[in-house]
Amino acid sequence: GGLLFVVNIHPTQSFKGYGIPAEQGSWEVVFNTDSMDYDGHGRLPRSLKLKTETGADGISRLSLYLPGRSGLVLKRKTI
């Protein structure tokens, strides 16, 4: 349905700048398990907006901060 699910199940390690191949364009977080609304730690801003970047290999990626024991659901924004 046009959603991208990203999960980090590691109990202690977070990943900064983790590249996820994704369809080119702007993306927004529609669900974040690390949100304080869900008893998370609130390590990501509430209104996180993301944009893909194309690497030298021609693949477009999202660069994400993935806190340990968290999951994100992202949705590509349509124009």
Side-chain angles (χ1 to χ4, degrees):
L3 300 175
L4 178 62
F5 293 77
V6 184
V7 179
N8 178 4
I9 60 172
H10 197 281
T12 59
Q13 186 174 5
S14 297
F15 297 97
K16 187 175 183 178
Y18 196 81
I20 303 286
E23 192 174 337
Q24 195 169 24
S26 296
W27 293 74
E28 63 184 332
V29 176
V30 294
F31 183 71
N32 170 13
T33 64
D34 193 55
S35 170
M36 295 179 82
D37 294 340
Y38 305 109
D39 292 330
H41 297 284
R43 294 171 280 191
L44 294 170
R46 279 189 171 271
S47 59
L48 183 62
K49 308 285 186 218
L50 303 163
K51 189 168 184 138
T52 55
E53 295 179 7
T54 303
D57 57 5
I59 297 173
S60 69
R61 291 182 179 84
L62 290 169
S63 181
L64 302 174
Y65 171 59
L66 299 174
R69 288 191 268 186
S70 70
L72 299 174
V73 179
L74 307 170
K75 183 176 182 176
R76 188 168 172 266
K77 293 179 74 175
T78 56
I79 298 172

